């Protein structure tokens, strides 16, 4: 088995072509996932109407489907919000070390005083 470089030593293979291909495929997969999720949301709303024949049940199914579709299409926004809350440096954690004649914890759990 030979590689492109071994087949033609004057041929240069750039990573940009591979990265462009990967970005294109990622975009296509994202579009496919959104399309499938939208179809599933439409089917879920129609099934809610078929089973309940209720405006309220259908409205709840529609709102939940809209929230799921919004969450799928805005994953980067959700990731940023969650990351900013996790990496928040304003929250501090304090650790208390107790020294002296304290009794050892009994049993399997710790006793909180």
């Amino acid at each position: 088995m030979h590689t492109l470089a071994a087949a033609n030593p004057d041929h240069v293979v750039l990573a940009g072509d591979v990265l462009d291909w990967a970005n294109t495929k990622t975009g296509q997969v994202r579009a496919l996932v959104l399309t499938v999720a939208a179809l599933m949301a439409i089917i879920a709303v129609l099934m809610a109407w078929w089973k309940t024949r209720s405006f309220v049940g259908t409205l709840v199914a529609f709102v939940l489907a809209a929230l799921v579709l919004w969450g799928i299409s805005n994953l980067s926004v959700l990731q940023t919000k969650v990351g900013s809350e996790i990496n928040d440096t304003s929250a501090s954690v304090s650790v208390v070390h107790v020294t002296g004649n304290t009794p050892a914890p009994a049993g399997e759990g710790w006793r909180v005083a």
Side-chain angles (χ1 to χ4, degrees), residues 34-75:
L34 284 173
T35 304
V36 169
L39 287 174
M40 289 176 64
I42 291 169
I43 291 170
V45 171
L46 291 175
M47 285 182 62
W49 170 254
W50 181 262
K51 286 186 177 186
T52 63
R53 300 279 186 196
S54 166
F55 178 71
V56 174
T58 306
L59 183 64
V60 168
F62 179 78
V63 169
L64 288 176
L67 284 173
V68 168
L69 287 175
W70 181 86
I72 290 172
S73 63
N74 293 313
L75 282 175

Side-chain angles (χ1 to χ4, degrees), residues 15-105:
D17 295 336
V18 174
L19 294 177
D20 288 340
W21 175 84
N23 286 334
T24 302
K25 290 299 174 189
T26 302
Q28 290 173 348
V29 168
R30 181 179 174 95
L32 178 66
V33 167
L34 284 173
T35 304
V36 169
L39 287 174
M40 289 176 64
I42 291 169
I43 291 170
V45 171
L46 291 175
M47 285 182 62
W49 170 254
W50 181 262
K51 286 186 177 186
T52 63
R53 300 279 186 196
S54 166
F55 178 71
V56 174
T58 306
L59 183 64
V60 168
F62 179 78
V63 169
L64 288 176
L67 284 173
V68 168
L69 287 175
W70 181 86
I72 290 172
S73 63
N74 293 313
L75 282 175
S76 60
V77 172
L78 294 174
Q79 182 181 9
T80 304
K81 286 189 178 293
V82 170
S84 66
E85 290 180 9
I86 290 175
N87 296 329
D88 187 15
T89 58
S90 65
S92 62
V93 176
S94 61
V95 177
V96 177
H97 295 282
V98 179
T99 58
N101 294 332
T102 58

